[in-house]
PDB file of all heavy atoms in Angstrom:
ATOM      1  N   ARG A1263     -11.856  -0.878   5.105  1.00 98.00           N
ATOM      2  CA  ARG A1263     -11.849   0.147   4.049  1.00 98.00           C
ATOM      3  C   ARG A1263     -10.456   0.768   4.009  1.00 98.00           C
ATOM      4  O   ARG A1263      -9.933   1.206   5.030  1.00 98.00           O
ATOM      5  CB  ARG A1263     -12.891   1.221   4.357  1.00 98.00           C
ATOM      6  CG  ARG A1263     -12.986   2.337   3.312  1.00 98.00           C
ATOM      7  CD  ARG A1263     -14.103   3.307   3.706  1.00 98.00           C
ATOM      8  NE  ARG A1263     -14.420   4.272   2.671  1.00 98.00           N
ATOM      9  CZ  ARG A1263     -13.848   5.473   2.546  1.00 98.00           C
ATOM     10  NH1 ARG A1263     -12.914   5.844   3.409  1.00 98.00           N
ATOM     11  NH2 ARG A1263     -14.205   6.284   1.574  1.00 98.00           N
ATOM     12  N   MET A1264      -9.877   0.806   2.818  1.00 98.00           N
ATOM     13  CA  MET A1264      -8.529   1.342   2.647  1.00 98.00           C
ATOM     14  C   MET A1264      -8.546   2.421   1.572  1.00 98.00           C
ATOM     15  O   MET A1264      -8.889   2.172   0.418  1.00 98.00           O
ATOM     16  CB  MET A1264      -7.562   0.226   2.242  1.00 98.00           C
ATOM     17  CG  MET A1264      -6.124   0.688   2.015  1.00 98.00           C
ATOM     18  SD  MET A1264      -5.088  -0.675   1.432  1.00 98.00           S
ATOM     19  CE  MET A1264      -3.501   0.157   1.209  1.00 98.00           C
ATOM     20  N   ASP A1265      -8.190   3.642   1.961  1.00 98.00           N
ATOM     21  CA  ASP A1265      -8.016   4.757   1.022  1.00 98.00           C
ATOM     22  C   ASP A1265      -6.518   4.981   0.834  1.00 98.00           C
ATOM     23  O   ASP A1265      -5.794   5.139   1.829  1.00 98.00           O
ATOM     24  CB  ASP A1265      -8.622   6.050   1.581  1.00 98.00           C
ATOM     25  CG  ASP A1265     -10.133   6.073   1.476  1.00 98.00           C
ATOM     26  OD1 ASP A1265     -10.666   5.688   0.425  1.00 98.00           O
ATOM     27  OD2 ASP A1265     -10.789   6.479   2.448  1.00 98.00           O
ATOM     28  N   PHE A1266      -6.068   5.055  -0.411  1.00 98.00           N
ATOM     29  CA  PHE A1266      -4.636   5.297  -0.617  1.00 98.00           C
ATOM     30  C   PHE A1266      -4.383   5.882  -1.996  1.00 98.00           C
ATOM     31  O   PHE A1266      -5.236   5.815  -2.890  1.00 98.00           O
ATOM     32  CB  PHE A1266      -3.823   4.020  -0.409  1.00 98.00           C
ATOM     33  CG  PHE A1266      -4.065   2.928  -1.420  1.00 98.00           C
ATOM     34  CD1 PHE A1266      -3.120   2.639  -2.395  1.00 98.00           C
ATOM     35  CD2 PHE A1266      -5.229   2.166  -1.390  1.00 98.00           C
ATOM     36  CE1 PHE A1266      -3.324   1.633  -3.320  1.00 98.00           C
ATOM     37  CE2 PHE A1266      -5.442   1.149  -2.314  1.00 98.00           C
ATOM     38  CZ  PHE A1266      -4.493   0.878  -3.281  1.00 98.00           C
ATOM     39  N   ASN A1267      -3.194   6.469  -2.152  1.00 97.00           N
ATOM     40  CA  ASN A1267      -2.766   7.073  -3.415  1.00 97.00           C
ATOM     41  C   ASN A1267      -1.614   6.248  -3.972  1.00 97.00           C
ATOM     42  O   ASN A1267      -0.495   6.295  -3.454  1.00 97.00           O
ATOM     43  CB  ASN A1267      -2.325   8.516  -3.192  1.00 97.00           C
ATOM     44  CG  ASN A1267      -1.913   9.211  -4.477  1.00 97.00           C
ATOM     45  OD1 ASN A1267      -1.749   8.581  -5.520  1.00 97.00           O
ATOM     46  ND2 ASN A1267      -1.730  10.526  -4.416  1.00 97.00           N
ATOM     47  N   PRO A1268      -1.849   5.485  -5.048  1.00 97.00           N
ATOM     48  CA  PRO A1268      -0.788   4.630  -5.592  1.00 97.00           C
ATOM     49  C   PRO A1268       0.485   5.385  -5.980  1.00 97.00           C
ATOM     50  O   PRO A1268       1.567   4.790  -5.995  1.00 97.00           O
ATOM     51  CB  PRO A1268      -1.451   4.008  -6.827  1.00 97.00           C
ATOM     52  CG  PRO A1268      -2.914   4.026  -6.516  1.00 97.00           C
ATOM     53  CD  PRO A1268      -3.135   5.294  -5.754  1.00 97.00           C
ATOM     54  N   LYS A1269       0.380   6.687  -6.289  1.00 96.00           N
ATOM     55  CA  LYS A1269       1.579   7.428  -6.669  1.00 96.00           C
ATOM     56  C   LYS A1269       2.553   7.542  -5.503  1.00 96.00           C
ATOM     57  O   LYS A1269       3.756   7.742  -5.704  1.00 96.00           O
ATOM     58  CB  LYS A1269       1.203   8.812  -7.188  1.00 96.00           C
ATOM     59  CG  LYS A1269       0.469   8.772  -8.528  1.00 96.00           C
ATOM     60  CD  LYS A1269       0.202  10.150  -9.078  1.00 96.00           C
ATOM     61  CE  LYS A1269       1.458  10.789  -9.625  1.00 96.00           C
ATOM     62  NZ  LYS A1269       1.163  12.075 -10.324  1.00 96.00           N
ATOM     63  N   ARG A1270       2.049   7.420  -4.277  1.00 96.00           N
ATOM     64  CA  ARG A1270       2.936   7.442  -3.114  1.00 96.00           C
ATOM     65  C   ARG A1270       3.849   6.219  -3.085  1.00 96.00           C
ATOM     66  O   ARG A1270       4.852   6.201  -2.370  1.00 96.00           O
ATOM     67  CB  ARG A1270       2.114   7.484  -1.828  1.00 96.00           C
ATOM     68  CG  ARG A1270       1.178   8.669  -1.703  1.00 96.00           C
ATOM     69  CD  ARG A1270       1.880   9.851  -1.112  1.00 96.00           C
ATOM     70  NE  ARG A1270       0.978  10.972  -0.894  1.00 96.00           N
ATOM     71  CZ  ARG A1270       1.336  12.121  -0.372  1.00 96.00           C
ATOM     72  NH1 ARG A1270       2.583  12.311  -0.001  1.00 96.00           N
ATOM     73  NH2 ARG A1270       0.465  13.108  -0.210  1.00 96.00           N
ATOM     74  N   ALA A1271       3.482   5.188  -3.850  1.00 97.00           N
ATOM     75  CA  ALA A1271       4.252   3.948  -3.846  1.00 97.00           C
ATOM     76  C   ALA A1271       5.575   4.076  -4.579  1.00 97.00           C
ATOM     77  O   ALA A1271       6.333   3.110  -4.664  1.00 97.00           O
ATOM     78  CB  ALA A1271       3.418   2.819  -4.449  1.00 97.00           C
ATOM     79  N   SER A1272       5.870   5.250  -5.135  1.00 96.00           N
ATOM     80  CA  SER A1272       7.213   5.461  -5.694  1.00 96.00           C
ATOM     81  C   SER A1272       8.268   5.370  -4.594  1.00 96.00           C
ATOM     82  O   SER A1272       9.438   5.071  -4.856  1.00 96.00           O
ATOM     83  CB  SER A1272       7.294   6.822  -6.390  1.00 96.00           C
ATOM     84  OG  SER A1272       6.973   7.869  -5.483  1.00 96.00           O
ATOM     85  N   ASP A1273       7.838   5.613  -3.356  1.00 96.00           N
ATOM     86  CA  ASP A1273       8.700   5.395  -2.193  1.00 96.00           C
ATOM     87  C   ASP A1273       8.634   3.912  -1.817  1.00 96.00           C
ATOM     88  O   ASP A1273       7.547   3.364  -1.609  1.00 96.00           O
ATOM     89  CB  ASP A1273       8.222   6.265  -1.021  1.00 96.00           C
ATOM     90  CG  ASP A1273       8.942   5.934   0.260  1.00 96.00           C
ATOM     91  OD1 ASP A1273      10.116   6.294   0.404  1.00 96.00           O
ATOM     92  OD2 ASP A1273       8.305   5.291   1.143  1.00 96.00           O
ATOM     93  N   ARG A1274       9.773   3.254  -1.724  1.00 97.00           N
ATOM     94  CA  ARG A1274       9.800   1.807  -1.506  1.00 97.00           C
ATOM     95  C   ARG A1274       9.088   1.405  -0.228  1.00 97.00           C
ATOM     96  O   ARG A1274       8.312   0.431  -0.206  1.00 97.00           O
ATOM     97  CB  ARG A1274      11.245   1.297  -1.484  1.00 97.00           C
ATOM     98  CG  ARG A1274      11.341  -0.212  -1.281  1.00 97.00           C
ATOM     99  CD  ARG A1274      12.766  -0.702  -1.129  1.00 97.00           C
ATOM    100  NE  ARG A1274      12.814  -2.141  -0.900  1.00 97.00           N
ATOM    101  CZ  ARG A1274      12.602  -2.708   0.278  1.00 97.00           C
ATOM    102  NH1 ARG A1274      12.340  -1.950   1.345  1.00 97.00           N
ATOM    103  NH2 ARG A1274      12.643  -4.036   0.396  1.00 97.00           N
ATOM    104  N   ASP A1275       9.329   2.108   0.865  1.00 97.00           N
ATOM    105  CA  ASP A1275       8.706   1.733   2.139  1.00 97.00           C
ATOM    106  C   ASP A1275       7.186   1.827   2.065  1.00 97.00           C
ATOM    107  O   ASP A1275       6.477   0.982   2.624  1.00 97.00           O
ATOM    108  CB  ASP A1275       9.230   2.625   3.270  1.00 97.00           C
ATOM    109  CG  ASP A1275      10.689   2.354   3.596  1.00 97.00           C
ATOM    110  OD1 ASP A1275      11.180   1.269   3.223  1.00 97.00           O
ATOM    111  OD2 ASP A1275      11.337   3.222   4.213  1.00 97.00           O
ATOM    112  N   THR A1276       6.690   2.855   1.371  1.00 98.00           N
ATOM    113  CA  THR A1276       5.237   3.000   1.228  1.00 98.00           C
ATOM    114  C   THR A1276       4.679   1.880   0.364  1.00 98.00           C
ATOM    115  O   THR A1276       3.609   1.326   0.652  1.00 98.00           O
ATOM    116  CB  THR A1276       4.895   4.368   0.601  1.00 98.00           C
ATOM    117  OG1 THR A1276       5.401   5.406   1.444  1.00 98.00           O
ATOM    118  CG2 THR A1276       3.391   4.536   0.446  1.00 98.00           C
ATOM    119  N   ARG A1277       5.393   1.523  -0.703  1.00 97.00           N
ATOM    120  CA  ARG A1277       4.945   0.440  -1.581  1.00 97.00           C
ATOM    121  C   ARG A1277       4.850  -0.878  -0.814  1.00 97.00           C
ATOM    122  O   ARG A1277       3.852  -1.608  -0.936  1.00 97.00           O
ATOM    123  CB  ARG A1277       5.908   0.302  -2.762  1.00 97.00           C
ATOM    124  CG  ARG A1277       5.493  -0.766  -3.763  1.00 97.00           C
ATOM    125  CD  ARG A1277       6.306  -0.671  -5.041  1.00 97.00           C
ATOM    126  NE  ARG A1277       7.732  -0.886  -4.843  1.00 97.00           N
ATOM    127  CZ  ARG A1277       8.658   0.071  -4.865  1.00 97.00           C
ATOM    128  NH1 ARG A1277       8.313   1.340  -5.047  1.00 97.00           N
ATOM    129  NH2 ARG A1277       9.940  -0.216  -4.681  1.00 97.00           N
ATOM    130  N   VAL A1278       5.847  -1.169  -0.002  1.00 97.00           N
ATOM    131  CA  VAL A1278       5.838  -2.399   0.801  1.00 97.00           C
ATOM    132  C   VAL A1278       4.690  -2.364   1.797  1.00 97.00           C
ATOM    133  O   VAL A1278       3.990  -3.370   2.001  1.00 97.00           O
ATOM    134  CB  VAL A1278       7.190  -2.576   1.516  1.00 97.00           C
ATOM    135  CG1 VAL A1278       7.112  -3.707   2.537  1.00 97.00           C
ATOM    136  CG2 VAL A1278       8.295  -2.853   0.502  1.00 97.00           C
ATOM    137  N   MET A1279       4.448  -1.214   2.417  1.00 98.00           N
ATOM    138  CA  MET A1279       3.360  -1.077   3.380  1.00 98.00           C
ATOM    139  C   MET A1279       2.009  -1.344   2.720  1.00 98.00           C
ATOM    140  O   MET A1279       1.183  -2.097   3.253  1.00 98.00           O
ATOM    141  CB  MET A1279       3.377   0.320   4.001  1.00 98.00           C
ATOM    142  CG  MET A1279       2.215   0.594   4.949  1.00 98.00           C
ATOM    143  SD  MET A1279       2.228   2.298   5.562  1.00 98.00           S
ATOM    144  CE  MET A1279       1.907   3.209   4.026  1.00 98.00           C
ATOM    145  N   TYR A1280       1.769  -0.726   1.557  1.00 98.00           N
ATOM    146  CA  TYR A1280       0.505  -0.952   0.847  1.00 98.00           C
ATOM    147  C   TYR A1280       0.292  -2.445   0.577  1.00 98.00           C
ATOM    148  O   TYR A1280      -0.793  -2.995   0.811  1.00 98.00           O
ATOM    149  CB  TYR A1280       0.505  -0.200  -0.490  1.00 98.00           C
ATOM    150  CG  TYR A1280       0.298   1.289  -0.417  1.00 98.00           C
ATOM    151  CD1 TYR A1280       0.628   2.101  -1.506  1.00 98.00           C
ATOM    152  CD2 TYR A1280      -0.247   1.910   0.703  1.00 98.00           C
ATOM    153  CE1 TYR A1280       0.431   3.476  -1.479  1.00 98.00           C
ATOM    154  CE2 TYR A1280      -0.452   3.285   0.748  1.00 98.00           C
ATOM    155  CZ  TYR A1280      -0.114   4.059  -0.353  1.00 98.00           C
ATOM    156  OH  TYR A1280      -0.314   5.418  -0.326  1.00 98.00           O
ATOM    157  N   LYS A1281       1.323  -3.107   0.062  1.00 97.00           N
ATOM    158  CA  LYS A1281       1.196  -4.526  -0.266  1.00 97.00           C
ATOM    159  C   LYS A1281       0.910  -5.362   0.977  1.00 97.00           C
ATOM    160  O   LYS A1281       0.077  -6.278   0.951  1.00 97.00           O
ATOM    161  CB  LYS A1281       2.481  -5.020  -0.941  1.00 97.00           C
ATOM    162  CG  LYS A1281       2.708  -4.471  -2.335  1.00 97.00           C
ATOM    163  CD  LYS A1281       4.015  -5.011  -2.914  1.00 97.00           C
ATOM    164  CE  LYS A1281       4.276  -4.488  -4.306  1.00 97.00           C
ATOM    165  NZ  LYS A1281       5.551  -4.995  -4.868  1.00 97.00           N
ATOM    166  N   ASN A1282       1.588  -5.058   2.074  1.00 97.00           N
ATOM    167  CA  ASN A1282       1.381  -5.825   3.304  1.00 97.00           C
ATOM    168  C   ASN A1282      -0.048  -5.675   3.823  1.00 97.00           C
ATOM    169  O   ASN A1282      -0.623  -6.637   4.344  1.00 97.00           O
ATOM    170  CB  ASN A1282       2.382  -5.381   4.373  1.00 97.00           C
ATOM    171  CG  ASN A1282       3.776  -5.915   4.116  1.00 97.00           C
ATOM    172  OD1 ASN A1282       3.951  -6.926   3.427  1.00 97.00           O
ATOM    173  ND2 ASN A1282       4.783  -5.236   4.654  1.00 97.00           N
ATOM    174  N   ILE A1283      -0.608  -4.492   3.697  1.00 98.00           N
ATOM    175  CA  ILE A1283      -1.992  -4.295   4.142  1.00 98.00           C
ATOM    176  C   ILE A1283      -2.948  -5.070   3.249  1.00 98.00           C
ATOM    177  O   ILE A1283      -3.843  -5.788   3.735  1.00 98.00           O
ATOM    178  CB  ILE A1283      -2.347  -2.793   4.141  1.00 98.00           C
ATOM    179  CG1 ILE A1283      -1.523  -2.048   5.187  1.00 98.00           C
ATOM    180  CG2 ILE A1283      -3.844  -2.597   4.404  1.00 98.00           C
ATOM    181  CD1 ILE A1283      -1.636  -0.533   5.101  1.00 98.00           C
ATOM    182  N   ILE A1284      -2.787  -4.944   1.947  1.00 98.00           N
ATOM    183  CA  ILE A1284      -3.717  -5.585   1.004  1.00 98.00           C
ATOM    184  C   ILE A1284      -3.649  -7.104   1.116  1.00 98.00           C
ATOM    185  O   ILE A1284      -4.661  -7.797   0.914  1.00 98.00           O
ATOM    186  CB  ILE A1284      -3.409  -5.113  -0.434  1.00 98.00           C
ATOM    187  CG1 ILE A1284      -3.724  -3.619  -0.563  1.00 98.00           C
ATOM    188  CG2 ILE A1284      -4.220  -5.901  -1.463  1.00 98.00           C
ATOM    189  CD1 ILE A1284      -3.244  -2.986  -1.854  1.00 98.00           C
ATOM    190  N   ARG A1285      -2.502  -7.658   1.483  1.00 97.00           N
ATOM    191  CA  ARG A1285      -2.370  -9.112   1.621  1.00 97.00           C
ATOM    192  C   ARG A1285      -3.220  -9.683   2.753  1.00 97.00           C
ATOM    193  O   ARG A1285      -3.432 -10.897   2.810  1.00 97.00           O
ATOM    194  CB  ARG A1285      -0.903  -9.479   1.837  1.00 97.00           C
ATOM    195  CG  ARG A1285      -0.075  -9.372   0.560  1.00 97.00           C
ATOM    196  CD  ARG A1285       1.377  -9.662   0.799  1.00 97.00           C
ATOM    197  NE  ARG A1285       2.139  -9.543  -0.443  1.00 97.00           N
ATOM    198  CZ  ARG A1285       3.301  -8.911  -0.544  1.00 97.00           C
ATOM    199  NH1 ARG A1285       3.852  -8.361   0.523  1.00 97.00           N
ATOM    200  NH2 ARG A1285       3.923  -8.831  -1.708  1.00 97.00           N
ATOM    201  N   HIS A1286      -3.695  -8.824   3.644  1.00 97.00           N
ATOM    202  CA  HIS A1286      -4.581  -9.281   4.720  1.00 97.00           C
ATOM    203  C   HIS A1286      -6.044  -9.324   4.287  1.00 97.00           C
ATOM    204  O   HIS A1286      -6.922  -9.640   5.104  1.00 97.00           O
ATOM    205  CB  HIS A1286      -4.449  -8.357   5.937  1.00 97.00           C
ATOM    206  CG  HIS A1286      -3.148  -8.495   6.668  1.00 97.00           C
ATOM    207  ND1 HIS A1286      -2.000  -7.843   6.286  1.00 97.00           N
ATOM    208  CD2 HIS A1286      -2.805  -9.229   7.761  1.00 97.00           C
ATOM    209  CE1 HIS A1286      -1.009  -8.151   7.117  1.00 97.00           C
ATOM    210  NE2 HIS A1286      -1.474  -8.995   8.017  1.00 97.00           N
ATOM    211  N   LEU A1287      -6.322  -8.998   3.010  1.00 97.00           N
ATOM    212  CA  LEU A1287      -7.701  -8.871   2.539  1.00 97.00           C
ATOM    213  C   LEU A1287      -8.013  -9.872   1.431  1.00 97.00           C
ATOM    214  O   LEU A1287      -7.119 -10.406   0.779  1.00 97.00           O
ATOM    215  CB  LEU A1287      -7.936  -7.447   2.005  1.00 97.00           C
ATOM    216  CG  LEU A1287      -7.552  -6.292   2.918  1.00 97.00           C
ATOM    217  CD1 LEU A1287      -7.824  -4.961   2.226  1.00 97.00           C
ATOM    218  CD2 LEU A1287      -8.293  -6.373   4.239  1.00 97.00           C
ATOM    219  N   LYS A1288      -9.312 -10.092   1.229  1.00 96.00           N
ATOM    220  CA  LYS A1288      -9.795 -10.866   0.091  1.00 96.00           C
ATOM    221  C   LYS A1288     -11.150 -10.311  -0.350  1.00 96.00           C
ATOM    222  O   LYS A1288     -11.766  -9.522   0.358  1.00 96.00           O
ATOM    223  CB  LYS A1288      -9.925 -12.351   0.443  1.00 96.00           C
ATOM    224  CG  LYS A1288     -11.012 -12.666   1.464  1.00 96.00           C
ATOM    225  CD  LYS A1288     -11.094 -14.159   1.726  1.00 96.00           C
ATOM    226  CE  LYS A1288     -12.189 -14.487   2.752  1.00 96.00           C
ATOM    227  NZ  LYS A1288     -12.284 -15.939   3.012  1.00 96.00           N
TER     228      LYS A1288
END
């Protein structure tokens, strides 16, 4: 289960982190 706020992804490091986590899921 992943809770997150996409608006935080305006920060590059946060955006990369979100993508890396989601890539482990299907």
Side-chain angles (χ1 to χ4, degrees):
R1263 181 177 190 270
M1264 179 184 178
D1265 283 316
F1266 66 107
N1267 182 349
K1269 292 185 74 173
R1270 301 273 184 179
S1272 58
D1273 172 74
R1274 181 185 178 279
D1275 291 341
T1276 300
R1277 182 168 62 254
V1278 170
M1279 176 184 66
Y1280 285 163
K1281 290 179 180 179
N1282 285 337
I1283 294 170
I1284 294 170
R1285 285 177 180 135
H1286 289 84
L1287 308 179
K1288 67 179 180 180

